[in-house]
Amino acid sequence: MSTDLLVQLGTKGAETIIKVTKDALGNAIKDKGASQSIGFPETNYYLPLINALLKIEVKTLGDCLAVLKQAEGLNNNQPASDGFKIDALGGVLNKGIATIICEEILAALKEDHAGFLSDTLLRSLGIQLVDGRISGIAVILGPAKDEDSAVQLIRDFQSKSIVSILVGNVGGNSFKKQLENKKVELGLEDYIVPLGEDYLSAIYAVNWAVRASLMYGGLKSGQWQEILKYTQQKVPAFVVLLSHVDEVIVATGLGVLAMGFPIITDLEVPQLGKIDTTLYEALVTEKDYKKIVSKCIEVRGLKVKVTDIPVPVPYAAAFEGERVRKEQLHVEFGGKAKLAFEYLTAKNINEVEDGKIELIGPDIDQLKKGSKSLPLAIIVEVYGRKMQKDFEPILERQIHRFINYAMGLMHVGQRDMNWIRISKDAFSKGFRLKHIGVILHAMLHQEYSAIVDKVQVRLYTKESDIEKLLPAAKKTFEERDERLSGMTDESVDTYYSCLLCQSFAPNHVCIVTPERLGLCGAYSWLDAKASFEITPTGPNQPILKGKMLDKRLGQWDNVNEFVKQKSNKTIEKVSMYSLMDSPQSSCGCFECIVAIIPEANGVMIVHRDYSGMTPCGMTFTTLAGSVGGGVQTPGFLGVGKLYILSKKFISAEGGLKRVVWMPKELKELLADKLKKCAQDLGDPGFVDKIADETIATTSEELIKFLKQVKHPAMVEMEPLI
Ligand code: SF4
């Protein structure tokens, strides 16, 4: 196949798709009328690709007609109405864009949108993408040459922390089926996301990728040059085309290349070196399945964190969410089964022998007949010149993640509420208890070498030992909690920045204080402090607060100056405690949104998992669309869940007492702590005055309820505006 043939096929493919779309749209309008609404579920971006590139908000079938016209123009190399036109490769990529635009319309015309990936899903992945837990996104089109090759390829991608999105089939055979036949678990938590068995579903991966630029990049629809640059440079996606190609796939491929995503294939195709829209090679053949993953990494320029841990099971972040079910269980510890706890503590230099791993008690190949559980204490002792007492709980919390990265191991909870399972498969591969020590030793060194010099691990499996050791550990847990809850913003002179999300939202700056954690919920002040010790030039920088400018709003001169510089001068000042006056910006991966409800003189809070309607007339997804992108939006604020419980929670506006509504699930999740806050406020019954969706989903219902319960926002608090 020559490059000319590729162009010929692409041209034919684009024409075919335009015709199919024209017919399908014509029929739909004939049946249902032009005013019939059209769209995807749980997105604030209409038909996201079209919205982003052409600045058209498609809401009805009639709106699609205008889009189709633009696609036809692009197919003939004429610029779209917002000027969109790509000159690379002699303009042939415009045919590709015309194709994927039509494919988005075709996908929206379908009754079933099962493969569509919601805005919420993209937001929930934000942190994993920025902190490197996800190093890339492979869109796999078509089945592998055989089932074993499919498993090998997917395991290779998982071990490199690359998420695989599965699309398409050839004669009924798909990559998804191949994996299912081999009993491979699928799901986002396993880094494998099947979108659909038809090739058209690939558009869901494309319109998902394009949303990142609007959600995190602070870009507006119609800024197509910036958007394409963003997808090229910030969205680490690429296509793996297997077993089959036809003219429509070629045309779609041209669209994908226009967005900067290279294609790696096992097919004999002409090779395309770097083109203007890609960072490196555009189209590459690799027939050896063992080499496909490394070729993808090279061609997309991915930065993969390799975790080479000497244990007999695969080890990578991709296995973090894997479950070990009852039927796969070899042994479990903790949970309801047996007593267990884990504890990490700092010791003096002479008390720690680096790499020493001891098992005191029977191993998992010495279980009593018929038994599937053992008690377990994991005691990790570390020494480090820069280690501090404050870092102990942070390192201890990593035990959860580090154990979960091992394939066939499941870890839930922490401290003396942990629950660990080891699968039959991991056991038969040779996994034994000492390997938990091997993992913890290696990972603590790998990720925390700046503060940890020596690590030793002891594992106890005799109940009498555990009963003896537990009380001292529990005492430390309590002391740590007390110390943390006693920490206030006033008790420190330094706050920390978090700039991690700038790789997606270039102007966003989180300021993390003892009483306000990062809006993603993942970084507390102590986490940021430890992270700075570990990587002094990293995203968490200390900010000496400086002169207080406004106590009520929570403004300091050095904080303002830092935010101004790091937000690329887009933010002049920031209030740590206010929703209304210069609030913090939001990047997009917030756990919750706080939004003003003027008529209630209060605020509502909605969390990411709540998909229903809220009294401000918007769902989480719609609200999130106007809050993210690294901009300040007075009246709206992205926050971490735990900040709601802080004494500094929007204290400039009256704090928790301003909250008039939150979803039932969120209320229940925070129930005990909310009640404690209410008591501290001197209003023990306050939590019951906060409405939820079972009471009100409209502003009218809400006001009626608030008046009934005499909510403080309605009866005693100052006007918000
Ligand atoms: S603390 Fe802020 S900047 Fe840092 S990862 Fe979380 S949301 Fe992103």
Side-chain angles (χ1 to χ4, degrees):
M1 208 193 272
S2 70
T3 312
D4 283 351
L5 185 56
L6 211 58
V7 175
Q8 276 173 31
L9 280 174
T11 306
K12 233 170 138 197
E15 274 160 15
T16 306
I17 278 292
I18 289 172
K19 176 155 189 337
V20 170
T21 311
K22 227 179 186 172
D23 292 348
L25 189 58
N27 289 337
I29 291 176
K30 211 160 45 180
D31 280 0
K32 298 173 185 158
S35 58
Q36 169 71 32
S37 58
I38 183 172
F40 295 118
E42 293 184 60
T43 181
N44 192 38
Y45 299 97
Y46 308 95
L47 272 52
L49 179 75
I50 292 165
N51 181 26
L53 297 185
L54 303 181
K55 208 180 173 200
I56 298 176
E57 293 177 358
V58 173
K59 293 175 194 157
T60 64
L61 291 174
D63 295 336
C64 294
L65 290 170
V67 176
L68 189 59
K69 213 155 172 222
Q70 309 249 353
E72 285 176 316
L74 277 169
N75 190 41
N76 294 321
N77 222 4
Q78 289 156 8
S81 57
D82 65 346
F84 181 99
K85 183 168 169 281
I86 301 174
D87 295 327
L89 271 190
V92 71
L93 296 184
N94 293 314
K95 291 183 186 296
I97 292 289
T99 304
I100 56 178
I101 283 173
C102 287
E103 286 173 337
E104 189 168 54
I105 296 177
L106 284 174
L109 285 173
K110 284 177 32 173
E111 304 253 305
D112 177 11
H113 300 134
F116 183 79
L117 299 161
S118 70
D119 293 356
T120 308
L121 191 70
L122 183 52
R123 279 178 205 290
S124 65
L125 285 185
I127 290 290
Q128 291 174 55
L129 277 163
V130 294
D131 71 8
R133 267 177 288 164
I134 293 176
S135 55
I137 299 162
V139 182
I140 303 180
L141 298 188
K145 62 179 180 189
D146 55 54
E147 289 178 353
D148 287 336
S149 303
V151 176
Q152 184 193 341
L153 199 55
I154 216 74
R155 294 297 184 218
D156 279 357
F157 276 132
Q158 284 176 316
S159 68
K160 298 286 185 294
S161 302
I162 293 170
V163 170
S164 299
I165 293 181
L166 314 181
V167 176
N169 79 92
V170 177
N173 187 26
S174 68
F175 206 100
K176 177 179 175 241
K177 279 197 185 129
Q178 291 177 321
L179 294 182
E180 280 171 344
N181 289 344
K182 287 290 195 178
K183 307 258 178 298
V184 173
E185 290 217 16
L186 309 182
L188 183 58
E189 57 290 357
D190 297 294
Y191 281 40
I192 309 170
V193 186
L195 286 193
E197 302 258 314
D198 57 346
Y199 281 90
L200 185 61
S201 303
I203 195 61
Y204 292 140
V206 173
N207 71 18
W208 194 52
V210 87
R211 265 175 284 164
S213 62
L214 307 174
M215 226 179 251
Y216 294 104
L219 298 174
K220 299 270 167 287
S221 49
Q223 288 181 296
W224 58 270
Q225 277 145 316
E226 291 85 353
I227 288 171
L228 292 184
K229 201 164 163 213
Y230 189 96
T231 53
Q232 180 212 52
Q233 296 185 354
K234 308 264 186 201
V235 183
F238 54 91
V239 172
V240 181
L241 175 64
L242 300 174
S243 304
H244 168 75
V245 67
D246 57 31
E247 55 203 38
V248 172
I249 293 178
V250 172
T252 308
L254 293 173
V256 163
L257 289 178
M259 298 184 69
F261 305 143
I263 303 170
I264 297 87
T265 177
D266 64 349
L267 297 162
E268 203 66 68
V269 294
Q271 309 293 284
L272 267 184
K274 179 179 163 18
I275 57 175
D276 286 351
T277 56
T278 59
L279 286 179
Y280 306 105
E281 290 93 333
L283 177 58
V284 177
T285 292
E286 179 53 75
K287 291 186 170 185
D288 183 348
Y289 273 59
K290 288 198 191 87
K291 294 185 184 156
I292 287 182
V293 174
S294 60
K295 184 58 87 184
C296 295
I297 291 171
E298 178 192 318
V299 168
R300 189 63 178 108
L302 299 180
K303 294 198 176 35
V304 176
K305 276 194 197 165
V306 185
T307 333
D308 209 0
I309 306 290
V311 289
V313 293
Y315 190 86
F319 304 113
E320 188 180 352
E322 174 205 23
R323 312 290 299 174
V324 174
R325 295 179 208 289
K326 225 173 172 182
E327 42 306 346
Q328 304 154 332
L329 178 70
H330 174 72
V331 64
E332 63 184 330
F333 316 89
K336 286 184 196 136
K338 281 267 160 59
L339 194 62
F341 75 95
E342 59 204 33
Y343 174 62
L344 182 143
T345 183
K347 290 278 178 191
N348 292 325
I349 185 163
N350 297 328
E351 293 173 297
V352 185
E353 186 184 322
D354 187 42
K356 187 172 171 191
I357 295 158
E358 284 177 279
L359 171 63
I360 299 130
D363 204 339
I364 56 174
D365 51 4
Q366 297 160 329
L367 295 174
K368 283 194 192 130
K369 210 165 173 253
S371 168
K372 280 185 180 285
S373 61
L374 265 182
L376 178 68
I378 304 173
I379 311 255
V380 187
E381 292 172 333
V382 302
Y383 162 77
R385 229 160 285 135
K386 289 181 137 190
M387 182 66 195
Q388 298 177 18
K389 273 267 156 218
D390 277 350
F391 299 159
E392 286 179 349
I394 294 168
L395 298 189
E396 188 181 279
R397 248 179 22 222
Q398 312 310 320
I399 294 175
H400 167 74
R401 190 164 55 90
F402 293 162
I403 292 182
N404 266 331
Y405 281 9
M407 190 176 159
L409 266 73
M410 182 183 98
H411 182 288
V412 178
Q414 53 169 325
R415 294 183 170 180
D416 56 341
M417 290 178 299
N418 62 351
W419 178 31
I420 303 171
R421 283 187 154 190
I422 299 178
S423 73
K424 286 179 190 158
D425 191 38
F427 176 75
S428 66
K429 285 195 167 94
F431 195 93
R432 297 294 178 268
L433 277 177
K434 71 163 193 229
H435 292 119
I436 290 186
V438 172
I439 289 171
L440 298 178
H441 170 258
M443 289 302 287
L444 282 166
H445 271 299
Q446 183 160 324
E447 292 199 2
Y448 293 92
S449 59
I451 50 172
V452 168
D453 299 329
K454 301 210 270 176
V455 180
Q456 69 185 16
V457 182
R458 280 197 308 280
L459 301 130
Y460 295 86
T461 55
K462 279 195 245 153
E463 189 129 2
S464 54
D465 283 336
I466 295 160
E467 278 166 354
K468 240 182 272 161
L469 292 162
L470 186 56
K474 271 191 166 167
K475 191 162 168 270
T476 313
F477 296 150
E478 277 160 24
E479 283 165 8
R480 283 177 188 167
D481 285 348
E482 260 166 43
R483 167 154 165 62
L484 257 184
S485 65
M487 249 179 158
T488 60
D489 287 2
E490 290 77 20
S491 66
V492 300
D493 60 4
T494 304
Y495 293 160
Y496 286 87
S497 67
C498 188
L499 305 174
L500 206 55
C501 284
Q502 287 207 340
S503 53
F504 280 101
N507 298 333
H508 174 69
V509 182
C510 266
I511 302 292
V512 183
T513 80
E515 293 181 85
R516 182 172 184 173
L517 79 172
L519 55 87
C520 57
Y523 284 85
S524 71
W525 183 83
L526 275 179
D527 291 317
K529 185 173 181 237
S531 157
F532 168 67
E533 294 290 339
I534 295 158
T535 324
T537 53
N540 301 107
Q541 290 298 313
I543 309 163
L544 201 61
K545 290 189 277 186
K547 191 170 145 221
M548 179 182 271
L549 302 176
D550 192 312
K551 190 172 176 196
R552 188 181 68 89
L553 295 174
Q555 280 193 15
W556 289 265
D557 60 353
N558 289 350
V559 176
N560 280 348
E561 187 52 33
F562 182 95
V563 172
K564 186 174 169 187
Q565 292 310 323
K566 297 294 175 186
S567 68
N568 302 313
K569 304 213 166 85
T570 57
I571 298 174
E572 283 286 326
K573 54 182 179 173
V574 67
S575 304
M576 293 310 300
Y577 311 141
S578 177
L579 169 79
M580 303 302 292
D581 189 336
S582 313
Q584 275 213 49
S585 62
S586 303
C587 52
C589 33
F590 29 74
E591 288 189 302
C592 304
I593 299 173
V594 183
I596 182 173
I597 304 196
E599 59 277 30
N601 196 32
V603 302
M604 53 156 266
I605 307 173
V606 57
H607 65 308
R608 207 160 47 200
D609 298 330
Y610 177 74
S611 56
M613 187 42 79
T614 73
C616 76
M618 287 185 265
T619 60
F620 175 90
T621 307
T622 316
L623 263 173
S626 40
V627 180
V631 288
Q632 285 178 311
T633 325
F636 299 88
L637 192 63
V639 298
K641 273 185 206 134
L642 291 181
Y643 176 52
I644 301 167
L645 306 164
S646 163
K647 288 206 169 69
K648 297 294 193 305
F649 171 71
I650 58 166
S651 53
E653 282 82 30
L656 189 64
K657 274 191 172 178
R658 278 286 175 196
V659 179
V660 294
W661 189 93
M662 62 167 84
K664 196 160 179 265
E665 190 187 33
L666 182 61
K667 230 170 147 186
E668 282 168 2
L669 203 76
L670 303 174
D672 293 345
K673 291 177 180 140
L674 274 177
K675 277 187 194 133
K676 164 97 182 48
C677 293
Q679 265 160 13
D680 294 347
L681 287 175
D683 187 354
F686 175 70
V687 181
D688 295 331
K689 295 179 187 167
I690 304 175
D692 59 36
E693 71 276 21
T694 63
I695 297 167
T697 50
T698 64
S699 155
E700 295 73 28
E701 288 165 351
L702 179 66
I703 304 288
K704 196 170 153 213
F705 171 78
L706 297 176
K707 280 185 181 156
Q708 234 170 47
V709 296
K710 300 197 173 43
H711 190 290
M714 297 293 282
V715 296
E716 65 186 46
M717 296 182 89
E718 280 179 19
L720 254 183
I721 341 183

